[in-house]
Amino acid sequence: MIQAIFKRREPDINITPNNFIIGIILWVLFTITCYSFTYSLREVFRILTVNQYYDVFIFSKEELIFYNFFFAFVAAIFGQSLCFSFWLDKPKAFFSRYNYRKNAMIHDQRVLNSYFLHWFSKMALILATMLIGFGNLPKFKIFENYKYLLLFILLILFAQTWNHIRLNYKIKSFKWQFYSFVFICILSASLAFFNPINYQKNNEIIISKNVFHQYNLQLPSFNYNCNTYYSPYYIDKLYIAKNNNSKEPYTIIFKDKQTQIDSLSNVIDTSLSERYIFELLKIKVHLYIDKEVKMDFIKQVNSILQSRNLWNIGYSFLSDEKAHQYSFYRGDIIPFRLSTPNIIPPPNFVTDLNEIHIRYLNNKELLINKRTTSADKLQSTLYQNILKNPDYIMIFHSDKQTNYNEYLQVLITAQKVIDQLRNEYAFNNHHKSIEDLDNEIKREILNKYPFCFRNE
């Protein structure tokens, strides 16, 4: 008697062939609709990040397919829940003795979907805030670092949708769950190659107004991150690109105006005349230069900037981790000062001055103080030279064949050496990295190992 009362019986589910086909059609249609909606939202967020310079985040082919698959898989799980609700929800049998178990399975689907949407919406809001408000998403590499975590989330979400069904149907449900998983994977993989909005067309429209795209400006890339060049200064941007369709070898873009070297002075004068007086001493010029531009031409540009009292400049480059991810990312800035005090060492350095002369012989070899060294050993050679005598100045001798990429390679390598010496001194004397020290001690270390570099 007691066994009969507490005996559990599987809920009866009678799915007719017509209802089965209708449920599958609803499943597929809802999946396509939901996937198209989430795809459109992603494109809206991506377009909202476009700034005044028409920079846009461009996904690689692998990233695009992966994100499409993720959205399609989630949409397919929601479509599966809709299909289950259609098959199980029978109003005419509402007062059936075992109908509460069917209702429990339906409610389990709805509650799970609502909780997931709530969690996913919060995560999307956080990422959107980072992307639009702070621009930190390039450093937060979702695809590279978290793709397996996202796949794990999909598996957990799928398994959760079958929880209540497994409780009622035990081992029998595993066969259905397997068929469902295979169907969802096939459907998601198919939709991953379906783009409801023309992704490539959107990119072309946006980047057609991007300076890097218009002039095919290719920044050099190096394994170095320089994120310290942030200060309350007024930033002007000057671009130098190759010009293959004109008698002039290079094109200069300053303040959204295309010009040549002969008229650059007038363009700068016009720009400075529009500034307030208190702004003139706080102007920094960021130089975005194609990696193949010759240093002779860059020297002419720097000379014009210096003649207009624009001492503070910054050379732009791409760190390796950004270069392969974003086609038109504006890159890091390594600061430089054209004025005499920061290029030539202070007077107390003049006695027993350690001059380090650097010349390029070819792409793989350099001449350092008349000694040949390979490009791979440049950093260690400079390190040993400066360690012997910190009262140094590095002098880079460029010729007509030296380009911006080669010059910046030496400049960044020199900066790496100084960073290394500063950090070693900080650890040896204060047992901390230089970033963790207070400003007074940090200033002492910076004075001990200043960055003295000159281009001739």
Side-chain angles (χ1 to χ4, degrees), residues 192-207:
F193 294 91
F194 169 60
N195 297 312
I197 298 176
N198 195 327
Y199 173 80
Q200 297 296 339
K201 188 66 175 179
N202 282 348
N203 290 341
E204 291 174 4
I205 292 174
I206 295 171
I207 66 178

Side-chain angles (χ1 to χ4, degrees), residues 228-259:
T228 58
Y229 193 51
Y230 297 103
S231 54
Y233 285 85
Y234 303 95
I235 306 299
D236 285 337
K237 294 178 172 60
L238 188 148
Y239 305 86
I240 305 177
K242 293 189 302 180
N243 191 358
N244 298 324
N245 301 321
S246 175
K247 296 179 181 179
E248 296 290 339
Y250 307 113
T251 296
I252 300 174
I253 303 94
F254 183 74
K255 304 288 286 187
D256 298 327
K257 295 179 181 178
Q258 181 176 324
T259 184

Side-chain angles (χ1 to χ4, degrees), residues 65 118 198 260 265 294 303 346 379 423:
I65 293 175
H118 183 254
N198 195 327
Q260 299 296 335
S265 300
K294 302 300 182 185
S303 178
Q379 184 170 344
N423 278 308

